Amino acid sequence: MTQQAGAPRTPPSGLFPSARTRPTYREPHPVRGAAVAAGAGAGAVWLLAFGVVDSTVRGYAYWTLLAGGIAWLVALLLAKVGDRGVAVGIAAATAIGWSIAAVVVGVTWVTRGDWPLW
């Protein structure tokens, strides 16, 4: 019996499965880019709505912390039972919003020489 060119001499051991037998693992609830963008937009609008309530740096910082805390709770709830993409967008927008508030507080502290949150 002649062997065809390129055919294995012994049957495969199963250590290296072929492409036909390789299992495919997929996320049961994939995160989509549009959902992340929608969550980021909603989170940004939410933080902006709370950030403009007060005109002082102190008020802006505290309102932003409150709005971000509420947004994170919503993101945790969405990650558990809702759309994970929207949860990721809200969490990212909250992180960016809190970072901006921290920079504003830091710059105010450096320029005025007084801690603005007391």
Side-chain angles (χ1 to χ4, degrees):
M1 178 173 169
T2 62
Q3 191 161 10
Q4 297 176 352
R9 293 179 186 220
T10 59
S13 67
L15 182 61
F16 301 105
S18 67
R20 287 179 272 145
T21 61
R22 184 173 298 154
T24 302
Y25 299 103
R26 298 192 188 274
E27 175 70 31
H29 305 288
V31 173
R32 306 276 183 219
V36 174
V45 168
W46 175 258
L47 289 172
L48 181 64
F50 274 80
V52 297
V53 170
D54 201 346
S55 61
T56 64
V57 172
R58 178 180 181 197
Y60 165 70
Y62 284 129
W63 280 111
T64 302
L65 284 174
L66 175 68
I70 294 169
W72 268 62
L73 291 175
V74 170
L76 286 172
L77 180 68
L78 283 171
K80 183 74 175 167
V81 297
D83 191 341
R84 292 179 182 176
V86 175
V88 168
I90 290 173
T94 302
I96 292 170
W98 278 350
S99 299
I100 292 170
V103 167
V104 168
V105 167
V107 168
T108 303
W109 184 23
V110 168
T111 57
R112 292 186 186 167
D114 186 27
W115 181 246
L117 297 182
W118 298 138

